[in-house]
């Protein structure tokens, strides 16, 4: 093997390893959180309409989510959310669970969302099993969106 061939092989291997690292690092991870705070975070609120199973709100001042389980069925209320950048790409997403039961009322979770120009948070209320972190198919209501 010539020196030129060896250099080309090494450069190709380094480039492939770099691409693999960049691709792995940029993969999104589903963020699952438990809404445990009972203190209402404020008034700057956008909420979903009350659904059959749960309700969700986003509090823009401080990046809080609220979720309320509205149905006594043994499942949890959950807010499914995502942050979309100005180019339409999802940059973060997750679920915030209220497993305290329908009698417990609202539960809140603070998230540190990016605050750059034209990023949007979209969210909706769903129901699911907190023990398996599975959202029940067809349980999510209409989406709401807000600029962060």
């Amino acid at each position: 093997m010539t020196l030129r061939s060896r250099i080309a092989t090494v450069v190709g291997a380094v480039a492939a390893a770099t691409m693999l690292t960049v691709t792995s690092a940029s993969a999104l991870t589903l963020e699952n959180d438990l809404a445990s705070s009972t203190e209402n975070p404020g008034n700057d609120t956008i909420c979903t309409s009350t659904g059959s199973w749960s309700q969700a709100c986003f509090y823009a001042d401080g990046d809080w989510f609220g979720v309320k389980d509205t149905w006594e069925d043994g499942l949890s209320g959950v807010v499914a959310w995502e942050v979309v950048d100005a180019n339409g790409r999802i940059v973060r997403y997750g679920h915030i669970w209220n497993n305290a039961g329908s009698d417990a009322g609202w539960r809140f979770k603070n998230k540190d969302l990016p605050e750059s120009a034209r990023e949007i948070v979209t969210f909706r209320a769903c129901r699911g099993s907190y023990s398996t972190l599975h959202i029940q198919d067809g349980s999510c209501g209409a989406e709401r969106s807000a600029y962060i």
Side-chain angles (χ1 to χ4, degrees):
M1 185 180 265
T2 67
L3 179 59
R4 183 172 284 167
S5 296
R6 288 182 190 157
I7 292 172
T9 301
V10 170
V11 168
V14 169
T18 302
M19 287 297 290
L20 180 61
T21 302
V22 169
T23 303
S24 298
S26 63
L28 296 177
T29 301
L30 172 67
E31 299 176 33
N32 273 300
D33 295 297
L34 183 60
S36 56
S37 175
T38 58
E39 186 174 330
N40 189 318
N43 295 320
D44 187 14
T45 312
I46 297 172
C47 296
T48 62
S49 58
T50 303
S52 300
W53 300 294
S54 60
Q55 188 175 9
C57 295
F58 176 69
Y59 299 78
D61 187 19
D63 299 334
W64 285 84
F65 285 95
V67 59
K68 181 179 181 183
D69 184 351
T70 59
W71 192 262
E72 191 174 333
D73 60 358
L75 295 173
S76 299
V78 58
V79 56
W81 62 272
E82 63 187 28
V83 175
V84 179
D85 70 12
N87 296 316
R89 290 183 303 245
I90 297 172
V91 295
R92 279 180 72 183
Y93 74 110
H95 302 143
I96 299 172
W97 299 84
N98 177 348
N99 70 343
S102 59
D103 292 336
W106 287 93
R107 293 292 186 265
F108 305 95
K109 176 67 180 172
N110 182 251
K111 298 296 288 180
D112 185 17
L113 301 178
E115 295 181 10
S116 59
R118 298 181 47 207
E119 289 194 331
I120 297 173
V121 63
T122 301
F123 64 98
R124 57 186 159 174
C126 308
R127 77 174 177 174
S129 170
Y130 180 68
S131 64
T132 63
L133 299 178
H134 175 76
I135 293 179
Q136 188 177 47
D137 294 338
S139 71
C140 297
E143 288 185 347
R144 293 296 310 263
S145 297
Y147 283 102
I148 300 175

